[in-house]
Amino acid sequence: MVISAYLQSPDASSGKRRAARRKLQLEVQGAHATDIVTVRIHNISLTGMLIECDAPFAVGDMIDVDLPHAGTVATKLVWTSGQLFGCEFESPISPAALAAAQLRGDTAPAMAGEAKLQNEAIATSGAFDRFGANLKRLRIAKGLSQADVATALDVSAPSISGWESGRARPKPDRMTALAALLDVSVSQLIVDIAAEPYDELIREGRERIARATGASPEKIRIYIEV
Protein backbone atom coordinates (compact mmCIF):
# COMPACT_ATOMS: atom_id res chain seq x y z
CA MET A 1 0.00 0.00 0.00
CA VAL A 2 1.19 3.48 -0.88
CA ILE A 3 -0.33 6.58 0.69
CA SER A 4 0.06 9.93 -1.05
CA ALA A 5 0.91 12.91 1.13
CA TYR A 6 2.48 16.33 0.90
CA LEU A 7 5.11 18.05 2.98
CA GLN A 8 4.65 21.74 3.71
CA SER A 9 7.70 23.98 3.62
CA PRO A 10 8.79 25.45 6.97
CA ASP A 11 7.84 29.00 7.83
CA ALA A 12 10.30 31.22 5.96
CA SER A 13 9.73 34.04 8.44
CA SER A 14 11.58 32.07 11.10
CA GLY A 15 14.87 32.54 9.25
CA LYS A 16 15.79 28.93 10.13
CA ARG A 17 14.35 26.86 7.28
CA ARG A 18 16.70 23.94 7.86
CA ALA A 19 15.97 23.69 11.57
CA ALA A 20 12.25 24.47 11.40
CA ARG A 21 9.92 21.50 11.83
CA ARG A 22 7.90 20.68 8.74
CA LYS A 23 4.37 19.29 8.58
CA LEU A 24 3.34 16.19 6.65
CA GLN A 25 -0.31 15.84 5.69
CA LEU A 26 -2.08 12.97 3.99
CA GLU A 27 -3.49 13.90 0.61
CA VAL A 28 -7.21 14.61 0.54
CA GLN A 29 -8.95 14.41 -2.83
CA GLY A 30 -9.77 17.86 -4.16
CA ALA A 31 -7.42 19.61 -1.73
CA HIS A 32 -4.60 21.75 -3.09
CA ALA A 33 -1.65 23.41 -1.41
CA THR A 34 1.24 25.58 -2.53
CA ASP A 35 4.96 25.38 -1.85
CA ILE A 36 4.87 21.67 -1.03
CA VAL A 37 6.88 18.49 -1.60
CA THR A 38 5.08 15.35 -2.74
CA VAL A 39 5.57 12.37 -0.42
CA ARG A 40 4.78 8.68 -0.77
CA ILE A 41 4.21 6.78 2.48
CA HIS A 42 5.16 3.11 2.51
CA ASN A 43 4.48 0.66 5.33
CA ILE A 44 2.93 2.82 8.03
CA SER A 45 2.56 1.04 11.39
CA LEU A 46 1.66 1.86 14.98
CA THR A 47 5.18 3.09 15.71
CA GLY A 48 6.47 4.61 12.50
CA MET A 49 6.56 4.65 8.72
CA LEU A 50 8.76 4.54 5.66
CA ILE A 51 8.45 7.59 3.38
CA GLU A 52 9.84 8.51 -0.02
CA CYS A 53 10.46 12.12 -1.09
CA ASP A 54 13.19 14.45 -2.31
CA ALA A 55 13.29 16.70 0.75
CA PRO A 56 16.78 17.40 2.20
CA PHE A 57 16.23 15.47 5.41
CA ALA A 58 18.88 14.08 7.76
CA VAL A 59 18.84 11.60 10.64
CA GLY A 60 17.48 13.32 13.74
CA ASP A 61 15.21 15.73 11.88
CA MET A 62 11.67 16.09 13.22
CA ILE A 63 8.42 16.46 11.29
CA ASP A 64 4.83 16.78 12.45
CA VAL A 65 2.58 14.19 10.78
CA ASP A 66 -1.12 15.02 10.58
CA LEU A 67 -3.01 11.72 10.82
CA PRO A 68 -6.78 11.10 10.95
CA HIS A 69 -8.00 10.17 14.44
CA ALA A 70 -4.55 10.96 15.84
CA GLY A 71 -4.04 14.64 15.11
CA THR A 72 -0.49 15.92 14.90
CA VAL A 73 2.10 13.26 15.70
CA ALA A 74 5.71 14.27 16.37
CA THR A 75 7.95 12.07 14.22
CA LYS A 76 11.73 11.58 14.13
CA LEU A 77 13.79 10.44 11.15
CA VAL A 78 15.94 7.52 12.30
CA TRP A 79 17.66 6.53 9.04
CA THR A 80 17.96 7.69 5.45
CA SER A 81 18.89 6.10 2.13
CA GLY A 82 18.66 8.34 -0.91
CA GLN A 83 15.04 9.47 -1.12
CA LEU A 84 13.88 6.90 1.45
CA PHE A 85 13.46 7.87 5.11
CA GLY A 86 12.70 5.65 8.09
CA CYS A 87 10.55 7.52 10.62
CA GLU A 88 9.55 6.72 14.19
CA PHE A 89 6.57 8.28 15.95
CA GLU A 90 7.34 9.96 19.27
CA SER A 91 4.38 8.03 20.70
CA PRO A 92 2.64 5.03 19.08
CA ILE A 93 -0.63 5.83 17.34
CA SER A 94 -3.83 3.92 18.01
CA PRO A 95 -5.04 1.02 15.86
CA ALA A 96 -7.99 3.20 14.80
CA ALA A 97 -5.64 5.94 13.60
CA LEU A 98 -3.54 3.38 11.74
CA ALA A 99 -6.60 1.90 10.03
CA ALA A 100 -7.85 5.37 9.06
CA ALA A 101 -4.48 6.24 7.54
CA GLN A 102 -4.31 2.98 5.63
CA LEU A 103 -7.73 3.67 4.12
CA ARG A 104 -6.14 6.64 2.35
CA GLY A 105 -3.84 4.25 0.48
CA ASP A 106 -3.92 3.57 -3.24
CA THR A 107 -6.39 0.85 -4.21
CA ALA A 108 -3.97 -0.80 -6.62
CA PRO A 109 -1.69 -3.40 -5.01
CA ALA A 110 1.75 -1.97 -4.30
CA MET A 111 3.33 -4.67 -2.20
CA ALA A 112 5.96 -5.62 -4.78
CA GLY A 113 7.11 -2.02 -5.18
CA GLU A 114 7.03 -1.43 -1.45
CA ALA A 115 9.09 -4.55 -0.80
CA LYS A 116 11.63 -3.48 -3.43
CA LEU A 117 12.00 -0.07 -1.77
CA GLN A 118 12.49 -1.64 1.64
CA ASN A 119 15.09 -4.06 0.29
CA GLU A 120 17.02 -1.22 -1.38
CA ALA A 121 16.90 0.80 1.83
CA ILE A 122 18.29 -2.08 3.84
CA ALA A 123 21.02 -2.84 1.33
CA THR A 124 22.26 0.73 0.90
CA SER A 125 21.75 2.35 4.29
CA GLY A 126 24.34 0.25 6.12
CA ALA A 127 21.74 -0.26 8.84
CA PHE A 128 21.50 -3.99 8.14
CA ASP A 129 24.67 -4.48 10.19
CA ARG A 130 22.54 -4.11 13.32
CA PHE A 131 19.45 -5.89 12.03
CA GLY A 132 20.31 -9.29 13.53
CA ALA A 133 20.86 -7.90 17.02
CA ASN A 134 17.70 -5.79 16.75
CA LEU A 135 15.65 -8.78 15.64
CA LYS A 136 16.87 -10.93 18.52
CA ARG A 137 16.25 -8.21 21.11
CA LEU A 138 12.76 -7.41 19.83
CA ARG A 139 11.86 -11.11 19.53
CA ILE A 140 12.87 -11.83 23.13
CA ALA A 141 11.05 -8.71 24.36
CA LYS A 142 7.92 -10.02 22.64
CA GLY A 143 8.34 -13.38 24.38
CA LEU A 144 8.79 -15.33 21.15
CA SER A 145 11.19 -18.16 20.40
CA GLN A 146 12.94 -18.57 17.07
CA ALA A 147 10.56 -21.44 16.38
CA ASP A 148 7.55 -19.19 17.08
CA VAL A 149 8.77 -16.64 14.56
CA ALA A 150 9.58 -19.33 12.00
CA THR A 151 6.07 -20.78 12.30
CA ALA A 152 4.40 -17.38 12.00
CA LEU A 153 6.40 -16.50 8.88
CA ASP A 154 6.25 -20.01 7.39
CA VAL A 155 10.04 -20.37 7.22
CA SER A 156 12.47 -22.77 8.84
CA ALA A 157 13.88 -22.20 12.33
CA PRO A 158 17.45 -22.13 10.94
CA SER A 159 16.38 -19.19 8.78
CA ILE A 160 15.60 -17.13 11.89
CA SER A 161 18.90 -18.16 13.42
CA GLY A 162 20.66 -17.07 10.24
CA TRP A 163 18.96 -13.67 10.27
CA GLU A 164 19.90 -13.04 13.89
CA SER A 165 23.51 -14.11 13.40
CA GLY A 166 23.92 -12.05 10.24
CA ARG A 167 24.58 -15.07 8.02
CA ALA A 168 21.47 -14.31 5.94
CA ARG A 169 18.84 -11.68 5.47
CA PRO A 170 15.07 -11.99 5.00
CA LYS A 171 13.37 -11.32 1.70
CA PRO A 172 11.53 -7.96 1.49
CA ASP A 173 8.08 -9.47 2.02
CA ARG A 174 9.37 -11.35 5.07
CA MET A 175 10.69 -8.07 6.48
CA THR A 176 7.22 -6.54 6.36
CA ALA A 177 5.65 -9.60 7.97
CA LEU A 178 8.39 -9.74 10.60
CA ALA A 179 7.83 -6.11 11.60
CA ALA A 180 4.09 -6.75 11.88
CA LEU A 181 4.67 -9.84 14.04
CA LEU A 182 6.93 -7.88 16.41
CA ASP A 183 4.51 -4.91 16.41
CA VAL A 184 7.15 -2.42 15.27
CA SER A 185 7.75 -0.38 12.14
CA VAL A 186 10.17 -1.66 9.51
CA SER A 187 12.39 1.32 10.29
CA GLN A 188 12.57 0.34 13.97
CA LEU A 189 13.30 -3.26 13.04
CA ILE A 190 16.21 -2.13 10.88
CA VAL A 191 17.51 0.56 13.21
CA ASP A 192 16.19 0.12 16.74
CA ILE A 193 16.97 3.50 18.28
CA ALA A 194 15.57 2.22 21.57
CA ALA A 195 18.64 0.04 21.91
CA GLU A 196 21.20 1.47 24.31
CA PRO A 197 24.81 1.81 23.06
CA TYR A 198 26.09 -0.52 25.78
CA ASP A 199 24.08 -3.38 24.28
CA GLU A 200 26.23 -3.16 21.17
CA LEU A 201 29.42 -2.95 23.24
CA ILE A 202 28.46 -6.03 25.24
CA ARG A 203 27.69 -7.95 22.06
CA GLU A 204 31.04 -7.01 20.54
CA GLY A 205 32.85 -7.90 23.77
CA ARG A 206 31.13 -11.28 23.94
CA GLU A 207 32.13 -12.07 20.37
CA ARG A 208 35.77 -11.06 20.96
CA ILE A 209 35.99 -13.22 24.09
CA ALA A 210 34.41 -16.12 22.20
CA ARG A 211 36.98 -15.85 19.42
CA ALA A 212 39.83 -15.72 21.93
CA THR A 213 38.64 -18.71 23.96
CA GLY A 214 37.03 -20.80 21.25
CA ALA A 215 33.71 -20.78 23.08
CA SER A 216 30.32 -19.98 21.57
CA PRO A 217 29.20 -16.33 22.02
CA GLU A 218 25.97 -17.63 23.56
CA LYS A 219 28.02 -19.24 26.36
CA ILE A 220 29.72 -15.96 27.33
CA ARG A 221 28.10 -14.03 30.18
CA ILE A 222 29.15 -10.47 30.98
CA TYR A 223 28.09 -8.89 34.30
CA ILE A 224 28.27 -5.17 35.05
CA GLU A 225 28.34 -3.88 38.63
CA VAL A 226 27.12 -0.33 39.17
Side-chain angles (χ1 to χ4, degrees):
M1 174 179 292
V2 176
I3 303 173
S4 298
Y6 60 87
L7 189 69
Q8 295 179 334
S9 295
D11 185 2
S13 63
S14 66
K16 298 181 179 179
R17 293 180 62 87
R18 181 66 182 84
R21 184 176 296 191
R22 306 178 73 172
K23 188 168 186 177
L24 179 69
Q25 293 184 299
L26 272 59
E27 188 175 277
V28 178
Q29 189 170 1
H32 299 280
T34 59
D35 195 20
I36 63 172
V37 174
T38 301
V39 177
R40 290 164 65 85
I41 300 176
H42 305 271
N43 189 47
I44 186 169
S45 71
L46 297 177
T47 57
M49 59 186 181
L50 175 67
I51 67 174
E52 177 189 10
C53 68
D54 59 2
F57 282 136
V59 172
D61 283 355
M62 299 291 297
I63 58 176
D64 289 328
V65 182
D66 191 9
L67 296 174
H69 297 292
T72 300
V73 180
T75 306
K76 183 177 182 179
L77 276 71
V78 296
W79 62 265
T80 69
S81 176
Q83 294 186 339
L84 296 174
F85 303 92
C87 308
E88 183 173 68
F89 299 140
E90 190 173 74
S91 299
I93 61 176
S94 68
L98 174 61
Q102 291 173 333
L103 286 175
R104 301 285 184 89
D106 298 342
T107 55
M111 288 303 295
E114 175 183 323
K116 180 175 182 293
L117 285 171
Q118 292 171 359
N119 193 43
E120 291 174 349
I122 295 169
T124 60
S125 67
F128 200 90
D129 293 342
R130 295 187 57 189
F131 166 73
N134 292 340
L135 170 58
K136 183 175 182 179
R137 179 168 47 252
L138 292 168
R139 172 181 62 77
I140 293 174
K142 196 71 174 177
L144 299 173
S145 66
Q146 290 185 345
D148 293 332
V149 176
T151 299
L153 271 63
D154 194 24
V155 299
S156 66
S159 293
I160 308 302
S161 176
W163 297 349
E164 292 187 355
S165 66
R167 297 192 305 271
R169 65 178 63 183
K171 294 180 179 179
D173 58 334
R174 301 293 189 196
M175 181 67 73
T176 302
L178 190 57
L181 175 65
L182 298 174
D183 196 22
V184 297
S185 64
V186 171
S187 61
Q188 185 178 349
L189 181 57
I190 300 171
V191 182
D192 185 4
I193 63 173
E196 295 292 340
Y198 58 71
D199 287 342
E200 189 68 16
L201 293 175
I202 291 174
R203 183 187 66 80
E204 292 178 358
R206 184 181 293 116
E207 291 180 350
R208 292 180 65 180
I209 294 172
R211 287 196 298 269
T213 61
S216 170
E218 289 74 21
K219 300 295 185 180
I220 306 299
R221 296 290 181 266
I222 296 178
Y223 298 94
I224 302 175
E225 293 185 4
V226 296

